[in-house]
Amino acid sequence: MQLKKMNMNEIDKEEYIEDSISEFEIEGVEQILFQMKYCICRIYKDKKRGTGFFCKIPLKNNTNFLPVLITNNHILNENDIDIGRTIKITINNDKVIREIYIDSSRKKFTNINLDFTIIEIKPNTDNIKSFLNIDENINNENLFKIKYKNKSLYTLHYPEIKNIKISFGLLDKFIDKYIFHKCTTHKGSSGSPILSLDTFKVIGIHYGAIGNGNLALFIKYAIDAFKNGIKNINEIIPIDFEEKINIIYEDYKEVKNDLNEDFIISNEYNEKINKNYNKEDKIELFTN
């Protein structure tokens, strides 16, 4: 296949995608989404900012779970999670400040090629109590892709220096290990969770804009790499990430877009959620 060489800066930058949009209603959805904001954090690194999220990774037969913080490798890399380092995060529109100290007992893993970082959270020590759930069907990849084809997704993210936002959009395509989606994002949204609006569970890790859509890693591959590589923090899956992304992008452009517009959320609903989302609240924390 003849590749169209892409500048990595084209992929790194976040673009606003205008693809949100018809009425969608579900009982209690606003309260559920509102509570989930406690599972999302802003990550500070020098002058840069990104998004991260707290979730529980299934370890064995979906009965044991490990609480973790997940983001992109280009937000937190090997040096940032080295023993003795401290990671500054804020929750609930910067009203809550936490510092995650990386000691030798904390499980952690990062991969530059798949662009993700996972760090174990110690709920009592770190004073973090709210965690998202990961879809339990991720290991059955064929079933998973059938289940979510043309379904509505959403992401909770911290764009630039603004308050937390929620963005809705369709799952566009699965290609290789990646999800192409139409949730609106901006610079700063990198590392945010991609969730199903049917199940409210995490299915992907947002990376950035590519072409006329957005790219996320199917979370199954991050979890698998984390479990397999946990004994070797420096393990790197031997792929050329830039070349791989170019191949995926070429495949993406060749696939006919057959989205069902009935699944799209309305701009009015999106604005309503975000208007209420940043108000002071007295709702109990969303814990699992």
Side-chain angles (χ1 to χ4, degrees), residues 27-287:
E27 185 177 357
V29 66
E30 290 187 36
Q31 184 174 6
I32 292 172
L33 297 178
F34 196 64
Q35 291 170 334
M36 281 185 172
K37 74 176 183 178
Y38 296 99
C39 305
I40 313 301
C41 66
R42 195 196 310 268
I43 298 174
Y44 290 83
K45 178 183 174 180
D46 301 323
K47 296 181 179 180
K48 296 181 179 179
R49 297 179 178 90
T51 301
F53 61 97
F54 309 114
C55 68
K56 291 186 176 181
I57 289 180
L59 292 181
K60 188 175 182 181
N61 299 325
N62 289 339
T63 56
N64 296 322
F65 296 87
L66 181 72
V68 297
L69 166 65
I70 298 181
T71 188
N72 293 138
N73 172 274
H74 72 263
I75 301 299
L76 294 176
N77 59 33
E78 292 177 17
N79 294 329
D80 300 318
I81 64 172
D82 202 4
I83 294 174
R85 299 296 294 268
T86 298
I87 299 167
K88 178 185 176 183
I89 63 173
T90 58
I91 305 168
N92 192 15
N93 293 324
D94 304 328
K95 295 173 186 150
V96 178
I97 301 174
R98 295 283 182 266
E99 291 188 343
I100 309 299
Y101 177 72
I102 307 299
D103 59 26
S104 59
S105 67
R106 200 183 293 265
K107 299 178 179 65
K108 55 196 174 78
F109 186 79
T110 189
N111 187 291
I112 191 172
N113 293 315
L114 292 180
D115 198 6
F116 77 88
T117 295
I118 297 179
I119 304 166
E120 178 184 5
I121 290 296
K122 300 177 180 180
N124 294 330
T125 303
D126 299 327
N127 197 16
I128 294 170
K129 310 295 183 182
S130 304
F131 298 88
L132 300 172
N133 289 321
I134 293 173
D135 191 293
E136 61 273 13
N137 295 312
I138 59 171
N139 289 323
N140 190 336
E141 193 165 345
N142 291 331
L143 174 64
F144 188 90
K145 291 181 177 180
I146 292 172
K147 177 180 177 181
Y148 283 106
K149 183 179 180 181
N150 292 355
K151 290 291 186 177
S152 289
L153 306 176
Y154 67 99
T155 184
L156 305 166
H157 55 115
Y158 280 101
E160 298 175 334
I161 58 174
K162 300 178 182 178
N163 285 341
I164 188 171
K165 298 292 182 182
I166 181 167
S167 300
F168 301 96
L170 289 182
L171 189 156
D172 194 341
K173 296 291 179 187
F174 284 100
I175 297 180
D176 194 60
K177 299 177 177 64
Y178 300 93
I179 297 169
F180 286 84
H181 65 91
K182 295 291 187 177
C183 298
T184 60
T185 60
H186 292 275
K187 189 176 182 63
S189 304
S190 294
S192 59
I194 302 300
L195 303 102
S196 161
L197 199 51
D198 286 342
T199 64
F200 303 103
K201 295 181 179 179
V202 182
I203 67 169
I205 307 166
H206 174 66
Y207 169 70
I210 180 171
N212 63 345
N214 280 335
L215 181 70
L217 176 68
F218 181 22
I219 200 167
K220 163 185 166 55
Y221 293 101
I223 293 174
D224 287 348
F226 174 76
K227 291 177 180 178
N228 294 332
I230 206 165
K231 293 180 180 179
N232 182 4
I233 186 61
N234 295 315
E235 177 183 333
I236 298 296
I237 295 177
I239 61 173
D240 184 318
F241 184 68
E242 182 172 356
E243 180 180 353
K244 189 70 172 177
I245 291 299
N246 274 284
I247 293 173
I248 293 169
Y249 181 56
E250 292 299 314
D251 289 344
Y252 173 65
K253 291 197 301 184
E254 291 177 5
V255 176
K256 182 180 179 181
N257 191 328
D258 58 356
L259 300 183
N260 185 338
E261 297 300 324
D262 291 339
F263 289 101
I264 304 179
I265 311 287
S266 71
N267 274 318
E268 292 77 14
Y269 187 76
N270 192 43
E271 291 171 1
K272 178 184 176 184
I273 289 287
N274 279 305
K275 182 178 179 181
N276 293 329
Y277 208 56
N278 294 302
K279 290 182 178 179
E280 292 291 339
D281 62 276
K282 296 182 180 179
I283 298 177
E284 294 181 359
L285 297 187
F286 182 81
T287 56

